[in-house]
């Protein structure tokens, strides 16, 4: 067993990593059970399998129907949610202390003896298709899905984790059973707990509830390096009768493991990561074109995206894109100023307290370290690393990571209102128009 930053860590005989932060502030237990693998391992024709399997786990055992599971969770005064990401799957919840043994017993049965009934799978598939169709009404989500598809192409990061109507339709009970058998093994899981539980109590819970987790070698994840398409690419997602456009434009950023990830984090905070950053100042404060204007750096095991997001009125769309391209060019050419750099570092250092101000958040950080293969004190040393970043490091990271000639501009709007203006804006390497309901 090791102990650092107040969090205890031990590994069961089957390989399950357990993290515990003992906190007696409230009679409440928060927990996360995380698989080290996620949606990127779905095969091309079965995209959506990781998500469907996770939700099927929650649909009951041979003794319990999904209605019984829901009733039990409500009776315990608990909640249990599922999040599926490219590189992990999370079962997250909370329960009052007096019911923690009963809830963990239920969890253990769900993980080790799921029923995987055909009728439940058919119901979940119908719900998933309904969600996919419903997403068409979410302009922001549509813009981001098309941005990632255009930036990452055939790379797994370019997929919609829910899948498509066709891929979801092709998933069978056999696929779900095989996926569960391969990935729901103890050595592929991390269990984090924050609450008023002693180590002895947790060890007893693990022994009683999770000893039947399947043993075996953790799956080997080999993901290809993402490659951004060359040139400036314009993607118009054409949706009629829009009064507002959704604009997502960007390129590749960094991965967690890249040496210049922190430097680019500082540069991004200076450019578009705060309410007073350059992007917000120029787009909203000076011109009032968009209520929000931000840039973000994705975080994952592989190299993720860096993007800018705004949502102006349709009549300001072309001008807004032009300005963002100019701001991007200026960023690539001149970097960030000493004043911007000092403010961004101060912001990241001072606001970090809110990232680790509760046992639940600290457990979440330790789980991220485990799942992403980060050094043990990655988050404990975050402020120290940010303090060490110099302005020349941040500007070097901009030039090294944010390609000047590999930019995807995705705009969801009424194409007839902006088509001519966008085509005359600059020489695009490719222009693609996509129906909103494709």
């Amino acid at each position: 067993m090791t102990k650092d930053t107040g969090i205890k860590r031990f590994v069961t005989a089957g390989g399950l990593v357990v993290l515990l932060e003992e906190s007696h502030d409230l009679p409440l237990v928060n927990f996360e059970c995380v698989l080290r693998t996620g949606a990127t391992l779905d095969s091309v024709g079965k995209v959506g399998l990781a998500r469907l399997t996770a939700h099927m786990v929650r649909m009951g055992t041979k003794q319990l129907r999904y209605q019984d599971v829901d009733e039990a969770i409500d009776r315990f005064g608990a909640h249990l949610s599922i999040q599926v990401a490219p590189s992990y799957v999370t079962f997250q919840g909370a329960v009052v202390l007096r019911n923690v043994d009963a809830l963990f017993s239920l969890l253990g049965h769900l993980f080790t003896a799921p029923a995987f009934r055909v009728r439940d799978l058919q119901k979940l598939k119908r719900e998933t298709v309904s969600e996919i169709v419903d997403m068409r009404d979410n302009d922001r989500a549509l813009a981001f899905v098309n941005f990632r598809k255009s930036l990452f192409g055939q790379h797994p990061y370019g997929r919609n984790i829910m899948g498509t109507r066709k891929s979801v339709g092709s998933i069978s009970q056999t696929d779900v059973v095989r996926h569960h058998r391969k990935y729901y093994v103890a050595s592929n899981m991390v269990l984090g707990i924050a609450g008023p539980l002693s180590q002895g109590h947790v060890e007893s819970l693990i022994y009683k509830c999770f000893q039947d987790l399947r043993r075996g070698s953790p799956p080997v994840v080999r993901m290809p390096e993402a490659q951004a398409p060359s040139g400036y690419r314009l993607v118009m997602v054409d949706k009629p009768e829009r009064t507002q456009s959704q604009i997502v434009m960007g390129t590749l950023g960094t991965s967690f493991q890249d040496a210049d990830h922190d430097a680019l984090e500082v540069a991004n905070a200076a450019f578009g990561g705060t309410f007073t950053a350059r992007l917000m100042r120029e787009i909203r404060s000076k011109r009032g074109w968009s209520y929000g204007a931000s840039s973000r750096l994705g975080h994952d095991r592989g190299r993720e995206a860096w993007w800018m997001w705004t949502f102006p009125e349709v009549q300001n769309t072309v001008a807004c894109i032009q300005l963002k391209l100019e701001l991007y060019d200026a960023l690539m050419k001149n970097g960030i100023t000493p004043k911007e750099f000092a403010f961004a570092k101060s912001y990241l250092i001072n606001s970090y307290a809110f990232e680790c101000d509760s046992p639940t958040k600290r457990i979440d950080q330790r789980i991220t370290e485990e799942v992403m293969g980060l050094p043990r004190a990655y988050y404990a040393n975050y402020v120290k690393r940010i303090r060490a970043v110099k302005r020349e490091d941040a500007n070097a990271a901009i030039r090294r990571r944010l390609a000047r000639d590999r930019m995807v501009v995705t705009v969801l709007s009424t194409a007839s209102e902006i088509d001519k203006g966008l085509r005359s804006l600059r020489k695009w390497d490719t222009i693609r128009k996509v129906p909103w309901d494709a």
Side-chain angles (χ1 to χ4, degrees), residues 127-419:
E127 290 176 359
T128 303
V129 169
S130 176
E131 287 181 80
I132 293 170
V133 173
D134 186 62
M135 194 182 69
R136 295 173 179 176
D137 293 330
N138 186 332
D139 287 0
R140 175 185 175 184
L142 269 183
F144 272 93
V145 164
N146 280 279
F147 167 72
R148 293 186 68 84
K149 190 185 298 182
S150 301
L151 177 64
F152 289 107
Q154 296 302 311
H155 189 277
Y157 283 169
R159 300 170 181 165
N160 180 354
I161 287 170
M162 285 194 291
T164 64
R165 281 178 290 184
K166 183 178 180 181
S167 68
V168 170
S170 74
I171 293 171
S172 67
Q173 183 197 41
T174 301
D175 295 325
V176 172
V177 170
R178 285 176 178 167
H179 187 93
H180 178 265
R181 181 173 295 279
K182 184 172 183 180
Y183 297 115
Y184 286 69
V185 296
S187 58
N188 194 39
M189 302 171 81
V190 179
L191 175 63
I193 301 172
L197 298 179
S198 67
Q199 181 188 332
H201 191 167
V202 170
E203 288 178 341
S204 173
L205 276 177
I206 301 301
Y207 179 77
K208 286 191 296 185
C209 306
F210 294 95
Q211 64 171 330
D212 291 333
L213 276 176
R214 191 175 301 107
R215 300 189 181 191
S217 302
V220 177
V221 179
R222 292 190 181 90
M223 191 164 56
E225 182 78 10
Q227 299 289 334
S230 60
Y232 274 74
R233 301 191 174 218
L234 174 63
V235 180
M236 283 186 276
V237 184
D238 186 16
K239 195 170 187 180
E241 300 177 1
R242 297 298 91 191
T243 58
Q244 187 182 57
S245 301
Q246 293 284 334
I247 305 168
V248 187
M249 48 197 288
T251 184
L252 292 184
T254 50
S255 75
F256 265 126
Q257 283 79 9
D258 287 327
D260 53 0
H261 179 71
D262 293 323
L264 192 59
E265 190 88 54
V266 175
N268 176 69
F271 180 73
T274 74
F275 196 73
T276 54
R278 188 187 302 183
L279 194 61
M280 175 66 92
R281 194 169 62 243
E282 294 293 334
I283 301 288
R284 174 177 163 171
S285 302
K286 288 185 179 179
R287 295 169 177 82
W289 282 345
S290 176
Y291 184 77
S294 60
S295 64
R296 292 289 181 269
L297 180 62
H299 300 76
D300 204 83
R301 199 174 287 141
R303 196 175 173 193
E304 253 283 0
W306 174 87
W307 67 91
M308 297 177 271
W309 174 51
T310 50
F311 39 97
E313 287 185 286
V314 170
Q315 60 264 33
N316 294 324
T317 300
V318 175
C320 187
I321 291 175
Q322 181 177 18
L323 178 59
K324 288 167 72 174
L325 289 172
E326 291 171 357
L327 291 171
Y328 183 68
D329 284 345
L331 178 70
M332 296 298 295
K333 183 179 179 182
N334 304 317
I336 57 176
T337 67
K339 184 178 179 181
E340 289 175 325
F341 172 72
F343 184 85
K345 277 186 66 171
S346 174
Y347 164 77
L348 291 173
I349 290 169
N350 291 327
S351 64
Y352 180 72
F354 300 106
E355 303 296 323
C356 55
D357 60 355
S358 71
T360 304
K361 290 180 181 178
R362 291 190 289 273
I363 280 290
D364 186 66
Q365 289 182 336
R366 283 289 288 113
I367 288 175
T368 301
E369 291 173 356
E370 291 281 348
V371 171
M372 293 294 161
L374 300 173
R376 183 64 53 84
Y378 181 84
Y379 285 103
N381 291 327
Y382 176 80
V383 169
K384 182 180 178 181
R385 295 200 313 274
I386 294 298
R387 286 188 195 281
V389 174
K390 300 175 182 176
R391 189 169 77 95
E392 51 265 36
D393 300 331
N395 286 333
I398 291 170
R399 292 190 297 271
R400 187 182 306 115
R401 296 296 178 180
L402 305 184
R404 198 165 191 173
D405 56 351
R406 293 177 183 270
M407 169 66 70
V408 172
V409 178
T410 303
V411 51
L412 183 146
S413 191
T414 302
S416 59
E417 300 286 333
I418 58 173
D419 188 297

